[in-house]
Amino acid sequence: MRQILGTVLLAVLVSVCVAQGKPAADLIITHAKVWTVEQAQPTAEAVAVLGERIVAVGSNADVEAWRGPRTRVIDAGGRLLLPGFNDAHVHFVDGGRQLDAVQLNDASSPEEFKRRIAQRAKITPKGEWMEGGDWDETKWPDSQMPTRQLIDDVTGDTPVFLSRYDGHVALVNSAALKLAGVTAATPDPPGGTMLRDAQGNPTGILKDAAMNPVAKVIPPLTHEQRRKAALRGLAHAASLGVTSFQEMDNGDAAETYADIGVFGELLEENVLTARVYFAPSVVSWDDEAKVGVRRAFGSSYLRLGALKGFADGSLGATTAYFFDPYLDAPGNRGLLSDQMQPPSAMRDRMLKADAAGLQLCTHAIGDQGISIILDFYADIVKQHGRADRRFRIEHAQHMAAKDFDRFAQLGVIASVQPYHAIDDGRWAEKRIGHDRASRTYAFRTFLNHGVRLAFGTDWEVAPLNPMLGLYAAVTRATLDGKNPQGWFPEQKLTVAEAVEAYTIGSAYAEFQDEEKGSLTVGKLADMVLLSDDIFTIDPVKIRDVKVLRTFVGGKAVYTAESLQ
Ligand SMILES: [Zn+2]
C-alpha cells in the first residue's frame, strides 16, 4: 500500500515539474571563461548544476534558461572555470600530519635544521615521537646527509624519525635506534641500507627497507590523530581546488585500511569534501579480493579496488633500480624493493590480483625497475587476455628508450608528478648523466607514443598545490632557477595538455572518466574558479595563481576570503 502511495506521489510530482517545464538549477555560474576539457565543446560561458551534476554548459543565454526562483547564481566576472583537480597520487593523512609537523624542507643549513628540531623537541610531549620533517640536504652548502650526532644533544630521550622529503630515507636519533634495538651488529636488510661510520656504527641514516625496524616501533596513529590529519588535509585540498585524490599505500595495508575507516566516517557525517580512491598494499591483495571488491568499487566519494606496489626506491636515495650504475655511486644500480624479493613473488601476486579484477598501480622509478614491471604487466595480458585494466606505473621517472612503445601497447598509464621534475631536475643529471636524464619525466615523449598521463603530486613528498604541478609541466624551470627556459625543454607540455592530465587523465586512471574530469552535461559538478587565466598569462606566473572557489558535486567547499 505504502509503495503504491509513493508511486502516486511521484507521478504527481513529475506532472507538476512537466507542467512548469524543466526543473530549475540549484546553481548557475555565469560570465565565466569555461575550459571544459571536453573535446566536443572546449569552451563556454556558463554552467548549470542540478543536485550534484552538471545539467547545462553553454552560453550565458543557454544556461539562463535553467534559472529558477531558488537558483543560486554566481557571476564569475570573466574568470577561468575548470574541472576540479584530481591528484592521482597522494599520501593524504601523512600530508595532513605534515601540515602540523616540524618543517625542515626549507632549512638551508645543518645548523638551521638542528635549531628547528631543538625547538620542536621542547614542545613534544614526553614519550611521543618526533616525526615528519621532509628535510633535503641538497639545499645545504655541503649537501652531506645529516647524522644522529647532529641532533642527539637537542633531542635527548625523545625518539626521532625524520623523513627525507622523498620518503625513502630517514634520519633517526640514538634514542630511536635504542628503542628499535638497532646496533652496529644489525645487518642491512634486503632492499635497504644503513649508513655506518668507520667503526661500523649506524650514523642514523636509514634507506628504504632499513627504515622498517625503527618505523615498526613507532606507535600507530590513534583514530583521533588520523581523523584530525584527514580533516586538516581536506581543508587544504579544498583551498587548492583538489576535488578528487587517489591514496597510494606506503607499504603497510593496515595504515590504509585505518584511513579508509576514517574517510568512511567523514562521508557518513557529510563532511567529506573531496572524492577518494584507495590503493592499499599489493602485498595484501587478498583482503580486497576475498570480499569481492574489484577495481573502482564504491560510491562517487569513496572507492577502493586498486593496489599499490613498489618495484624500487628513489633517485634521491640512489635506490631507484637502473640497468646501468649511478655516475656518482659507481657499482651501485639501485635496489629492488622488499616486495620484489624475489621478483617472482611480485609477479605471482600481480597475476592473482588481476584475476580478482583489482587494478595495479606500481611505483617504479629506475629504468630497469620500470622495465621489469612492464614485463609483469605483459605476462598478465598474455595469461589472462586483453581487458580494460588501466595498469598504472607510479612515477615512471626514468624510461629506457625501448620501453615507450611497450608502455603504450600495454595501455599503461603514466601516473606522474611534474613537480618532482623541477625539483630533482636540479641534480638528476649529475647522478645519471645526460642520456638518461633526457628520458626523465619525459611527458612529451609519453604523449607522442600515445601513453595517457595522470598528474599528481605525491603529497606529502611534494606540495599539494596543482598550480605548482601545472607550472612545472609547462615551464620545466628547475627550482634552483638554473633552467629558466626549461630542463629538457622539448618535454614541456602546453597548458591545455597539463590541465587535461590533471583532470580527465587522472579520472581515467581511476575508471571515473565517465563520471568526472570534464565539465560535461551529466557529469559530477566538481569545479574550480581561478584568480587568473592560466592559458593567457606568462607561464612563469601560473605558480602564483590562486583558487577563488571550489565546488564538489555542486556544493561550495571553499571560497577565498576576498569573496566572502
Ligand atoms: Zn608516493
Side-chain angles (χ1 to χ4, degrees), residues 344-358:
S344 60
M346 184 68 114
R347 183 178 172 277
D348 275 5
R349 68 173 82 89
M350 283 185 170
L351 278 160
K352 288 175 183 152
D354 180 74
L358 293 159

Side-chain angles (χ1 to χ4, degrees), residues 313-336:
S314 78
L315 188 72
T318 55
T319 50
Y321 195 62
F322 283 93
F323 286 107
D324 297 310
Y326 290 98
L327 298 186
D328 57 354
N332 178 13
R333 296 197 292 120
L335 289 172
L336 287 175

Side-chain angles (χ1 to χ4, degrees), residues 89-91 248-250 308 310 363 395 458 461:
H89 185 126
V90 294
H91 308 285
M248 296 288 134
D249 189 281
N250 252 340
K308 165 77 181 309
F310 282 91
H363 163 122
H395 312 305
D458 210 3
V461 178

Side-chain angles (χ1 to χ4, degrees), residues 10-254:
L10 189 70
V12 170
L13 275 172
V14 167
S15 62
V16 168
C17 289
V18 169
Q20 295 177 342
K22 63 189 167 194
D26 294 311
L27 169 71
I28 286 178
I29 300 175
T30 59
H31 302 102
K33 266 189 202 168
V34 184
W35 181 261
T36 64
V37 192
E38 168 66 57
Q39 268 165 7
Q41 184 194 11
T43 58
E45 293 172 332
V47 174
V49 178
L50 178 59
E52 58 173 6
R53 294 194 182 257
I54 296 167
V55 288
V57 180
S59 67
N60 291 322
D62 294 339
V63 171
E64 181 61 28
W66 285 86
R67 186 200 286 246
R70 281 197 296 272
T71 302
R72 179 180 179 203
V73 179
I74 293 176
D75 187 321
R79 307 226 197 235
L80 184 66
L81 186 75
L82 294 178
F85 295 105
N86 183 338
D87 193 315
H89 185 126
V90 294
H91 308 285
F92 202 80
V93 166
D94 291 343
R97 295 257 300 159
Q98 186 201 48
L99 293 175
D100 197 34
V102 58
Q103 302 293 335
L104 299 171
N105 190 265
D106 60 348
S108 56
S109 68
E111 294 74 33
E112 174 62 13
F113 175 80
K114 179 176 183 164
R115 193 188 64 75
R116 293 188 192 181
I117 292 168
Q119 219 173 37
R120 190 67 180 205
K122 279 187 208 142
I123 57 164
T124 303
K126 209 170 162 45
E128 249 181 52
W129 283 67
M130 189 194 307
E131 294 179 77
D134 297 301
W135 50 274
D136 180 0
E137 83 293 348
T138 67
K139 293 175 182 164
W140 304 350
D142 63 356
S143 295
Q144 290 289 315
M145 290 268 184
T147 63
R148 69 190 155 92
Q149 284 83 2
L150 177 67
I151 58 167
D152 268 350
D153 62 326
V154 296
T155 51
D157 295 337
T158 298
V160 169
F161 185 98
L162 296 170
S163 306
R164 191 175 188 270
Y165 75 99
D166 62 4
H168 289 268
V169 183
L171 172 67
V172 300
N173 66 353
S174 297
L177 287 175
K178 198 168 154 201
L179 283 171
V182 173
T183 65
T186 309
D188 285 359
T193 316
M194 179 160 77
L195 295 192
R196 296 163 198 268
D197 63 18
Q199 286 74 45
N201 294 309
T203 68
I205 290 291
L206 309 173
K207 295 187 176 185
D208 288 292
M211 298 189 286
N212 298 347
V214 181
K216 253 200 301 217
V217 297
I218 303 175
L221 291 185
T222 63
H223 184 76
E224 211 37 49
Q225 282 173 321
R226 215 175 274 282
R227 212 185 125 89
K228 254 193 210 153
L231 285 168
R232 202 178 286 124
L234 284 166
H236 188 54
S239 75
L240 297 171
V242 176
T243 55
S244 290
F245 58 87
Q246 303 174 36
E247 174 69 18
M248 296 288 134
D249 189 281
N250 252 340
D252 183 355

